[in-house]
Amino acid sequence: MTLDAWLKQTGRTEEAFAAEVNTSQKAVNRYRRFQRIPRLDIALRISAATGGQVSFNEMIHAPNAQEPACP
């Protein structure tokens, strides 16, 4: 599950979630829109805070992203 989907499903605000995982609201907004990849320590806190529903793998792969073609 993506962070965006999890936040929507749980009704959590970016501000509240950011405080829980000890980062900024701006960073959470960028993570949920795949504009930034969280550092490993933050990714682990996000995964723990979501009960494992948002994994690091899901945080680094944008949905519908095309894999680079092999030469």
Side-chain angles (χ1 to χ4, degrees):
M1 173 180 292
T2 66
L3 179 57
D4 183 58
W6 188 86
L7 289 170
K8 287 177 182 175
Q9 179 180 329
T10 61
R12 299 291 303 275
T13 65
E14 290 179 357
E15 293 82 3
F17 189 72
E20 185 175 345
V21 298
N22 195 28
T23 193
S24 69
Q25 173 275 324
K26 191 173 189 177
V28 169
N29 182 272
R30 289 180 177 163
Y31 302 149
R32 78 186 297 188
R33 293 184 295 137
F34 296 96
Q35 293 181 336
R36 180 190 292 174
I37 296 173
R39 295 186 328 248
L40 181 58
D41 61 320
I42 296 172
L44 292 173
R45 292 195 304 260
I46 290 171
S47 184
T50 62
Q53 292 184 40
V54 178
S55 71
F56 182 71
N57 191 44
E58 290 163 318
M59 285 182 257
I60 63 172
H61 290 100
N64 303 318
Q66 300 252 342
E67 292 294 324
C70 294

